[in-house]
Amino acid sequence: MAEVFWPPQGSASLLGGEHNRIDGLAKCIGSAKYAYDVVPDNMLVASALSCPHAHATIRAIDLNAARNMAGVVAVEPLKKEGDEIRWEGDLVAVVAGETEAAVAEGLAAIKIEYEVLDHFVDDTDLDAATEANVTRPAGRNTQLQNRDEDADQEFERLFNEAAVTFEGHYGINVITHMCLETHGSTCESQGDKLVSHLSTQNVSGTPGQIAGPIGLTAQDVTVHCDYIGGGFGSKFAADAWGVTCAQLARNTGRPVKYMLTRSQELKNAGNRPSGFLRAKIAADKDGFVTAWDSAHWGTNGTSGAPVSQGVIPYVFNPPNRRRVATGIRTNTSPARAWRAPNHPQGCAITQTAYDDVARHLGLDSYDVFLRNLSTVGERAPIYEDQMKLAAKLMDWKAKWHPHGKGGQDGSVVSGLGMAIHTWGGGPHASRATCKIHPDGGVEIFLGSQDLGTGTRTVIGLVVAETLGLELEQVSVQIGLSEYPSSGPSGGSTTVGGVSESTRRAATAALNLLLTKVAPRLEADANQLEAVGGKIQIQGNQNRNISWKEACGQIGISPIEAQGEYAPRVTYPRNYDGKRLTDNGVAGVQMAEVAVDTETGVVKMKKFVAVQDIGLIINRKTARSQIYGAAIMGIAYALFEERIMDKATGAFVNAELADYKLPRLGDTGEIVVELYEPESEYNRGVIGLGEPPVISPGAAISNAVCNALGKRVSVLPITPQRVLEAISGGA
Amino acid sequence: MHSFEYSAPHSLSDAVSLLAQAEGNARPLAGGTDLIDQMQTGRFRPALVIDIKKLPELNVLEFDGDGLHLGAAVPCYRIYGEPRIVQEYSALADACHIIGGVQIQSRASVGGNLCNSGPAADSTPAMIALSAICVIAGPGETRQVPVEEFCTAPGENVLRRGEILAEILFPPRPANSGSHYRRFIPRNEMDIAVVGVGAFVELEDDGQTIKTARIGLGAVAPTPLLAEDLSASLSGKPATDSTFVSAGEAARQIITPITDMRGTAEYRKQITGVLVQRVLATATARARGEPSEYKPGK
């Protein structure tokens, strides 16, 4: 019988190869249908009205004029009289109509009277927030080597005895998810059944979220999402707009499309919390950090939570550490999970401080990071290995100069920086059904989704590898909530979850087939294997039958087998046997930049990412995932930020023209190295979505600091911030 | 977007009549790259949109003794695709190359850029530097207005009710002259200028002394500016880096930029100085027939 565990490294037919996406062509030629592309006959379009105030209560709301507008079919209030609006752009009412023009006229006819209230949107200044009484304590924590000592006295001693002591200020602004496809859905209602073509990261989990509020049960709602134009953690829920679209479809008996506008998307549908930090740091002469004393703050919107204490400082765990966290409540929309929640901010506001240790001591940043690896735990040797690889790819030693001491080409100076990161990436719960048809056809079904990462291709590769077939012979069916349930795609959990359930389902199906084929080959099923499109006696290519012939033995009903991964059940606690998937990775990134000291423009010259992810299923899409992460990281390091107007409380750059994202010409050369020694391969599959997006902020900030000899404190490092740092920064 | 009427007249006079009859409740549509967006966001809600992009009078691109006649609806790609414009009116070609991406450049016109009258319009400082003249058709006599006097406030200009910008006239290029437009944006392409600078430099026959110069500045005041005194002060000066640096320093003193999300006033002053210096250097190199090192986004 076929073995469920992965073949030894180097012996797989397809796993670890370079494979094009099976849906690449459909995406390139536009035949791939996203939620927005679904246009049923007789469809209504819907759009929402946004509140122009950052903080207000609704005194009166009158929808009658909108309802009577020609071409308007339905108006659905999202707020009622007396409701409090807590951020600018919050959605108040939805109009559905025959045309976009009719909807626009309907929205313009809605009459709302607001009582405008005081607002607060400045998350950068802790003192101002404290004075405005919008802060809340978010924890404090002290760790001392000499546990019995008084903390204040002990820190004073440590700072006095250190070779270097300095204070630093670091920050990273709020960014939005900026999904290219805005949030929303197209809904079709048929009697008591409803189909929602929802742009979602959570196909299996959203039917129930839609059903309850519209008076149906989950079994009556089907969620369908073949393709999604970006989620990054913001599309786990059906959301008010998904439910309202379903409600409108139910009420009108007609299909309805309701997608957020770009501005509404940015103002409502997800952002990453900010992080600001003041720290006092002590280090020995070799750059080993002996004491870390920090206060950090930030906002996640109206509830006021900062970046988690757990990432302060990030990856490194200095022997003496005190951290105080404060949240700031702002009149801004609630944050949502953004690719590796907490980690990019933690990395950006603390590994910059570690780089400043090198700056203050005149040391090579590489050596300081290396020196502090003794505090990172069991992955220290992996980091060291990866640092060597990255340095070689960057030619670090040849290019390095002490901070601010490099040569100048006209007004341009260059610099190097690095950062390291970690993430879990263990699998989510997943079920799969594999069917082998009597005519040789193979299908795999999962209620999972492909966020654009190549999940569909990975699933196909696992099935093909398991059955000894080519990728093209497998039909991958995902994106429908009627399929066996699979977890939401977040936290780098998908590739592990789906490859584990798929491998188990395909192996179980194959073993059923081997049992049917064994008499034909006059062998025991245990002696058989599926290789190269054949079923054969293990190691004996002469005794075989073709796949198609083998499937002819199935009978009239297809073989159908299930596979499942259940967290903590599949691998119980303390399990130390063979495994298909695992959790926990490292990663090292390095950046090289050129900075124009007259204009403040930072240009990416080169970016190197070294990443372990356990066993690699598709080398090509894995690399693509890291390219994408590097570009996203360059975006938040140098360009994108939410800009709030303190006077009005408005999010002033909530359009693509004003919310700066890099163009490809801004990203420079990106070099990706997948780190897969046998020891990592043998751990099985681990997720990759989050880890490579963590380090770019710190690595690029450190490179700019190395170029200038001065720290640009807050990300993104805009030209203006660069010039301000040159003229007066620390 | 709201509901509106659409009309595509066949002649400039018909367009002028339609516009006059609409009593201010109509907008002309050329490339539409600004107007459609403004209608989508609700900034403009015209009852009538008059499509003028195919009017023959607005699509001329001709050279004669008066210089270059450029129809107001000629899209950017035709402008930078004309070798004589690239050679003789380089600043205009530079500007048209960096307005939006290829798709936008296929639709957007310089006339539309001017009529939109944004302070950060890319082509306007270039046209100011090149001493361009607006030819305006209307119910009455055709009239001419220098480009630097066309815009009167952000989004406002000298066009009266019923008037249409028909043509932009560029005087012939003098010998030993060159021009350049460059803007500052935080990324390498497809962005709105934080500062834009156009410059024209004419050298004496020695190739070392500035005979005349004209500097147009964008995004640093409510309207694009002609730096008149600064331009005049360069006459007779040596065409050297130190002159350009001084000109940049002087430019910082004459502008009145605002602080907004694209940059503070102080920052815009710094960038203006740097750009004036760099743009003068490139325009001078072109006047000398030297190869230009300028590449957009580099």
Side-chain angles (χ1 to χ4, degrees):
Chain A
M1 303 293 265
E3 162 75 59
V4 76
F5 295 107
W6 303 117
Q9 190 173 28
S11 64
S13 307
L14 298 170
L15 300 184
E18 300 272 350
H19 304 283
N20 290 334
R21 292 160 197 261
I22 57 179
D23 50 8
L25 183 65
K27 287 183 166 186
C28 289
I29 66 174
S31 64
K33 296 286 183 218
Y34 293 75
Y36 193 87
D37 299 323
V38 178
V39 184
D41 290 342
N42 206 27
M43 184 186 80
L44 299 171
V45 289
S47 192
L49 183 71
S50 303
C51 175
H53 307 294
H55 192 196
T57 50
I58 296 178
R59 274 195 188 139
I61 181 165
D62 181 357
L63 305 174
N64 288 327
R67 288 195 169 108
N68 294 330
M69 193 64 69
V72 168
V73 176
V75 180
E76 194 73 28
L78 300 174
K79 299 280 190 299
K80 59 184 186 307
E81 287 175 11
D83 279 357
E84 184 181 357
I85 302 284
R86 296 196 293 164
W87 64 88
E88 184 252 347
D90 193 5
L91 307 176
V92 181
V94 179
V95 173
E98 303 288 354
T99 62
E100 285 185 25
V103 171
E105 301 291 355
L107 290 171
I110 294 174
K111 295 187 184 73
I112 303 179
E113 200 181 316
Y114 293 102
E115 180 181 354
V116 178
L117 306 171
D118 290 342
H119 64 263
F120 188 90
V121 296
D122 180 11
D123 56 340
T124 60
D125 186 342
L126 183 58
D127 295 336
T130 305
E131 197 170 312
N133 197 27
V134 292
T135 59
R136 67 177 191 82
R140 54 189 304 137
N141 161 297
T142 304
Q143 166 187 292
L144 287 175
Q145 236 171 352
N146 298 326
R147 289 181 188 176
D148 300 333
E149 297 297 325
D150 173 80
D152 286 340
Q153 288 176 7
E154 183 65 357
F155 274 105
E156 191 178 340
R157 181 187 69 77
L158 288 162
F159 286 122
N160 285 337
E161 291 175 1
V164 66
T165 299
F166 65 94
E167 290 185 32
H169 170 234
Y170 309 91
I172 181 166
N173 274 334
V174 169
I175 62 169
T176 72
H177 292 67
M178 189 51 100
C179 306
L180 265 188
E181 178 193 34
T182 63
H183 285 61
S185 60
T186 302
C187 288
E188 299 178 86
S189 177
Q190 292 145 359
D192 280 342
K193 303 282 184 190
L194 185 121
V195 178
S196 173
H197 306 274
L198 179 70
S199 181
T200 183
Q201 297 176 242
N202 189 6
V203 165
S204 291
T206 39
Q209 297 175 26
I210 295 169
I214 64 168
L216 297 176
T217 51
Q219 75 207 39
D220 299 320
V221 174
T222 299
V223 166
H224 177 211
C225 177
D226 280 336
Y227 298 96
I228 171 175
F232 312 113
S234 69
K235 289 183 178 170
F236 292 129
D239 282 313
W241 38 83
V243 171
T244 304
C245 186
Q247 185 73 63
L248 284 165
R250 285 267 285 163
N251 292 354
T252 61
R254 293 174 61 180
V256 178
K257 183 193 302 299
Y258 172 22
M259 308 291 291
L260 299 189
T261 65
R262 177 59 52 190
S263 167
Q264 289 168 346
E265 170 81 9
L266 267 58
K267 290 178 181 178
N268 294 281
N271 61 74
R272 187 178 76 182
S274 58
F276 300 92
L277 176 134
R278 275 197 295 261
K280 190 171 181 186
I281 292 147
D284 69 16
K285 65 178 177 40
D286 299 321
F288 181 77
V289 174
T290 52
W292 171 282
D293 192 7
S294 71
H296 75 273
W297 66 94
T299 189
N300 70 340
T302 50
S303 67
V307 167
S308 159
Q309 283 195 69
V311 294
I312 307 294
Y314 186 61
V315 182
F316 297 115
N317 186 20
N320 302 288
R321 181 192 67 203
R322 178 161 61 184
R323 50 198 187 190
V324 180
T326 307
I328 299 179
R329 291 190 304 275
T330 52
N331 290 104
T332 57
S333 65
R336 296 183 174 203
W338 189 98
R339 224 171 161 177
N342 291 305
H343 288 233
Q345 302 102 305
C347 189
I349 61 179
T350 66
Q351 291 199 2
T352 40
Y354 270 72
D355 187 70
D356 275 345
V357 172
R359 176 164 67 108
H360 287 289
L361 286 166
L363 297 174
D364 186 329
S365 300
Y366 183 96
D367 295 332
V368 169
F369 274 70
L370 194 64
R371 179 76 181 84
N372 285 280
L373 281 183
S374 59
T375 68
V376 307
E378 62 182 7
R379 287 202 183 87
I382 296 172
Y383 283 117
E384 189 171 347
D385 222 15
Q386 293 182 347
M387 280 174 62
K388 282 181 196 157
L389 267 171
K392 195 173 167 195
L393 291 166
M394 179 56 89
D395 200 10
W396 180 284
K397 281 198 168 64
K399 291 177 182 172
W400 174 260
H401 58 73
H403 290 74
K405 303 262 170 63
Q408 191 148 344
D409 177 9
S411 58
V412 176
V413 290
S414 297
L416 292 178
M418 64 170 291
I420 66 175
H421 55 256
T422 183
W423 186 254
H428 60 36
S430 179
R431 292 196 186 95
T433 295
C434 182
K435 274 189 186 180
I436 302 175
H437 294 275
D439 63 0
V442 176
E443 291 180 287
I444 183 85
F445 300 86
L446 295 92
S448 186
Q449 51 278 318
D450 189 335
L451 300 191
T453 54
T455 302
R456 192 175 263 114
T457 309
V458 159
I459 291 168
L461 285 167
V462 170
V463 175
E465 176 75 36
T466 308
L467 304 183
L469 300 175
E470 296 298 323
L471 175 58
E472 295 73 22
Q473 291 176 266
V474 179
S475 171
V476 180
Q477 305 293 334
I478 61 171
L480 199 64
S481 60
E482 291 165 357
Y483 297 153
S485 69
S486 211
S489 287
S492 306
T493 57
T494 306
V495 70
V498 301
S499 47
E500 175 110 35
S501 63
T502 298
R503 175 73 171 179
R504 290 181 183 278
T507 305
L510 175 62
N511 283 332
L512 291 171
L513 178 66
L514 296 183
T515 305
K516 301 234 179 199
V517 171
R520 183 67 199 279
L521 284 168
E522 296 174 346
D524 190 280
N526 287 322
Q527 296 174 280
L528 301 181
E529 63 180 0
V531 180
K534 297 183 177 71
I535 304 294
Q536 66 184 31
I537 308 288
Q538 281 170 16
N540 184 350
Q541 293 180 15
N542 297 324
R543 286 182 62 194
N544 66 67
I545 56 172
S546 72
W547 174 260
K548 189 150 185 160
E549 217 179 337
C551 292
Q553 307 299 308
I554 290 174
I556 54 170
S557 298
I559 287 173
E560 190 170 316
Q562 280 73 41
E564 179 174 8
Y565 171 77
R568 291 180 293 281
V569 176
T570 306
Y571 306 113
R573 194 180 289 275
N574 299 327
Y575 175 87
D576 62 357
K578 278 188 174 181
R579 48 195 311 145
L580 289 169
T581 56
D582 204 352
N583 182 54
V585 297
V588 171
Q589 296 184 353
M590 292 178 173
E592 183 186 16
V593 301
V595 187
D596 186 329
T597 55
E598 288 183 352
T599 63
V601 167
V602 177
K603 289 277 181 202
M604 292 300 303
K605 292 171 78 172
K606 188 170 181 177
F607 189 85
V608 172
V610 178
Q611 186 61 53
D612 58 296
I613 53 168
L615 178 153
I616 298 160
I617 292 179
N618 185 358
R619 202 161 293 275
K620 192 171 205 170
T621 48
R623 230 179 15 249
S624 288
Q625 180 87 318
I626 298 174
Y627 288 134
I631 292 168
M632 207 167 188
I634 290 166
Y636 75 72
L638 297 179
F639 298 95
E640 62 172 322
E641 62 183 323
R642 182 180 73 184
I643 302 175
M644 301 302 298
D645 180 44
K646 285 187 210 174
T648 61
F651 178 171
V652 292
N653 62 330
E655 286 291 349
L656 272 168
D658 299 319
Y659 187 94
K660 304 300 179 195
L661 294 171
R663 312 260 324 150
L664 280 181
D666 294 308
T667 57
E669 180 191 5
I670 300 171
V671 178
V672 171
E673 176 74 13
L674 295 168
Y675 178 83
E676 196 193 27
E678 190 178 5
S679 55
E680 291 300 315
Y681 178 94
N682 288 342
R683 296 176 64 199
V685 179
I686 309 174
L688 174 64
E690 336 290 298
V693 86
I694 297 168
S695 278
I700 293 167
S701 175
N702 292 342
V704 172
C705 184
N706 178 241
L708 296 175
K710 291 191 170 184
R711 175 68 56 184
V712 181
S713 299
V714 175
L715 269 56
I717 302 173
T718 60
Q720 183 172 315
R721 290 194 177 109
V722 169
L723 292 186
E724 285 166 357
I726 290 172
S727 65
Chain B
M1 192 187 291
H2 72 292
S3 300
F4 59 89
E5 294 294 320
Y6 169 88
S7 180
H10 294 290
S11 72
L12 180 57
S13 60
D14 287 352
V16 166
S17 301
L18 274 172
L19 195 56
Q21 287 159 19
E23 298 184 339
N25 205 1
R27 303 288 298 194
L29 171 96
T33 56
D34 282 315
L35 180 64
I36 290 171
D37 190 44
Q38 288 159 344
M39 286 167 62
Q40 254 167 352
T41 59
R43 184 174 160 200
F44 292 130
R45 293 173 59 86
L48 172 64
V49 170
I50 303 168
D51 190 339
I52 57 170
K53 69 173 167 291
K54 289 183 184 164
L55 295 180
E57 299 93 329
L58 270 61
N59 277 288
V60 294
L61 196 168
E62 290 170 6
F63 298 87
D64 63 16
D66 294 332
L68 165 65
H69 298 266
L70 183 69
V74 174
C76 289
Y77 83 95
R78 281 185 62 200
I79 296 172
Y80 63 68
E82 167 54 54
R84 278 191 69 180
I85 295 181
V86 173
Q87 185 66 28
E88 298 174 27
Y89 304 96
S90 315
L92 179 65
D94 292 338
C96 292
H97 253 303
I98 57 176
I99 293 175
V102 171
Q103 294 91 336
I104 296 289
Q105 289 160 11
S106 299
R107 300 281 303 196
S109 64
V110 164
N113 200 211
L114 191 51
C115 289
N116 188 54
S117 300
D122 280 312
S123 64
T124 313
M127 290 194 284
I128 290 172
L130 292 167
S131 305
I133 305 287
C134 303
V135 180
I136 298 168
E141 290 289 300
T142 296
R143 63 190 181 108
Q144 297 195 342
V145 175
V147 167
E148 59 269 26
E149 294 173 17
F150 186 83
C151 301
T152 54
E156 293 178 22
N157 54 51
V158 298
L159 289 180
R160 300 172 194 140
R161 187 167 291 182
E163 284 189 331
I164 290 176
L165 173 65
E167 181 182 306
I168 304 156
L169 177 63
F170 295 79
R173 175 199 184 193
N176 303 321
S177 70
S179 65
H180 179 43
Y181 172 78
R182 193 183 296 197
R183 69 180 173 197
F184 178 78
I185 54 174
R187 57 187 172 197
N188 82 325
E189 57 178 334
M190 302 262 273
D191 214 337
I192 298 166
V194 176
V195 174
V197 175
F200 165 86
V201 173
E202 181 186 7
L203 299 174
E204 299 286 4
D205 290 342
D206 64 2
Q208 303 303 318
T209 311
I210 297 172
K211 187 174 177 186
T212 60
R214 262 174 86 88
I215 298 170
L217 303 171
V220 293
T223 62
L225 292 181
L226 167 64
E228 202 164 1
D229 294 345
L230 171 59
S231 301
S233 75
L234 291 172
S235 293
K237 295 258 174 70
T240 58
D241 282 346
S242 72
T243 298
F244 306 148
V245 170
S246 302
E249 191 51 48
R252 290 187 180 114
Q253 312 308 318
I254 61 170
I255 57 174
T256 55
I258 58 166
T259 292
D260 67 7
M261 64 179 161
R262 294 188 191 97
T264 61
E266 197 50 42
Y267 175 66
R268 282 193 158 102
K269 286 191 172 188
Q270 162 66 16
I271 294 298
T272 301
V274 174
L275 278 202
V276 164
Q277 173 196 335
R278 293 181 183 182
V279 170
L280 281 171
T282 300
T284 301
R286 285 174 171 172
R288 290 175 179 146
E290 294 168 357
S292 166
E293 290 178 9
Y294 167 73
K295 281 185 191 155
K298 300 292 175 191

